[in-house]
Amino acid sequence: MEAGGLEWLLVPMHQLVSWGAAGAMVFGGVVPYIPQYRDIRRTQNAEGFSTYVCLVLLVANILRILFWFGRRFESPLLWQSIIMIITMLLMLKLCTEVRVSNELNIKRRSFAAADSKDEEIKAPPKRSYLDFDLNYFWHWSKFTDYVQCVLTFTCVTGYITYLWLDSSLFVETLGFLAVFTEAMLGVPQLYRNYQNRSTEGMSVKMVLMWTSGDTFKTVYFILNQAPFQFSICGLLQVFVDIAILLQVYLYSSYPQKPVSHTAHPASAKAL
């Protein structure tokens, strides 16, 4: 009777913990961007946030969703990708609006670009998706251009995935590219710290949040037997986070050269 009563208590507790872990996986990745979003909106300054982080996360999560069609994995991981895509689009919208409002020049850059020699003409330019200026890629003046680019990438990769969905090699490679792209998100920060021989301007609290989030995510992958690509790249993310923390210790304890005062996009990474 006592064992039965204990089991009656443990079963809902186990389910509650599972729901909590799933919820943390779905929404945990967007938590660092909430204060970042509010700060940009309050200060009307987006210089401290790199929109290339949005590019990396959009590519990684679109590929992860496509991977789901070839190999079904945990539903929370799928929903995490959907929520992250929405979050990155919201971040892009805000950053674009703030940047354009602060620009002194009136030149407009577009994904569907006109002739680069005639950027300020008053007549509507003839646009083509094939002649955009690569020098201004992902630095456009309207949010709709980012949406067009994301939709184009999604349609092209979606069509390729549809054609090769029966190939297990393609599907596994797609899954690896998805999680590997996200795993490399901290590498630019690691390299920038190495170049400057300093971590000045980088939020140590944010890096600690990355490390705890990536550790939780990796453990979740392993315990729920997610595809091996997820576990391997999760471990890689943790190693990159630890390497950045080691830089914090080394460069604070053994300063090596004067620091160039450049903006660090330190507050942008997925958990």
Side-chain angles (χ1 to χ4, degrees):
M1 186 70 179
E2 184 178 348
L6 187 60
E7 184 179 354
W8 176 84
L9 180 63
L10 289 177
V11 170
M13 285 294 294
H14 179 269
Q15 192 166 11
L16 187 63
V17 171
S18 299
W19 288 346
M25 281 301 304
V26 173
F27 297 103
V30 306
V31 170
Y33 299 100
I34 296 175
Q36 181 73 56
Y37 183 93
R38 296 178 63 183
D39 186 58
I40 293 174
R41 191 167 185 175
R42 177 178 57 84
T43 62
Q44 290 296 295
N45 186 348
E47 293 300 321
F49 181 81
S50 173
T51 55
Y52 283 103
V53 172
C54 298
L55 173 62
V56 171
L57 287 176
L58 285 168
V59 170
N61 285 282
I62 289 170
L63 293 179
R64 184 193 287 187
I65 292 174
L66 294 175
F67 176 54
W68 182 85
F69 288 99
R71 183 175 177 184
R72 302 298 171 90
F73 48 78
E74 289 283 317
S75 295
L77 300 180
L78 177 64
W79 282 107
Q80 181 197 42
S81 293
I82 296 173
I83 296 297
M84 183 59 73
I85 289 173
I86 295 173
T87 302
M88 289 302 100
L89 290 175
L90 290 174
M91 289 296 299
L92 278 174
K93 186 176 187 298
L94 177 64
C95 290
T96 304
E97 291 173 351
V98 169
R99 188 184 72 247
V100 171
S101 66
N102 292 336
E103 283 181 348
L104 296 179
N105 62 70
I106 59 174
K107 293 183 179 181
R108 297 301 179 192
R109 308 293 180 181
S110 300
F111 172 61
D115 187 350
S116 59
K117 297 178 182 178
D118 196 15
E119 293 162 344
E120 298 184 25
I121 58 176
K122 296 183 179 180
K126 183 179 180 181
R127 298 178 181 274
S128 168
Y129 287 103
L130 301 177
D131 63 353
F132 63 89
D133 191 345
L134 283 175
N135 294 324
Y136 294 93
F137 177 78
W138 210 251
H139 194 73
W140 302 310
S141 303
K142 292 183 178 180
F143 173 65
T144 52
D145 291 298
Y146 292 96
V147 175
Q148 289 176 9
C149 181
V150 171
L151 288 177
T152 301
F153 175 79
T154 303
C155 291
V156 172
T157 54
Y159 182 67
I160 295 174
T161 302
Y162 173 75
L163 294 178
W164 291 87
L165 198 58
D166 293 333
S167 171
S168 59
L169 177 61
F170 174 83
V171 171
E172 296 300 328
T173 302
L174 184 66
F176 176 78
L177 289 175
V179 291
F180 183 76
T181 302
E182 185 175 351
M184 291 293 99
L185 194 60
V187 172
Q189 184 66 58
L190 184 72
Y191 182 67
R192 176 172 291 188
N193 294 343
Y194 172 75
Q195 282 187 313
N196 295 332
R197 298 295 194 276
S198 171
T199 57
E200 182 180 346
M202 187 189 72
S203 171
V204 179
K205 292 181 180 179
M206 185 63 65
V207 178
L208 291 172
M209 187 180 294
W210 298 349
T211 307
S212 60
D214 290 338
T215 302
F216 169 80
K217 180 172 63 177
T218 304
V219 171
Y220 182 91
F221 291 157
I222 295 173
L223 293 180
N224 287 274
Q225 299 181 340
F228 76 96
Q229 298 99 325
F230 286 69
S231 301
I232 292 175
C233 291
L235 289 171
L236 181 60
Q237 279 184 282
V238 175
F239 290 148
V240 172
D241 296 338
I242 293 175
I244 295 176
L245 289 175
L246 286 175
Q247 286 181 324
V248 173
Y249 170 75
L250 290 174
Y251 296 149
S252 61
S253 301
Y254 309 99
Q256 300 182 28
K257 73 172 187 177
V259 182
S260 59
H261 297 283
T262 54
H264 292 260
S267 57
K269 186 177 184 294
L271 287 176

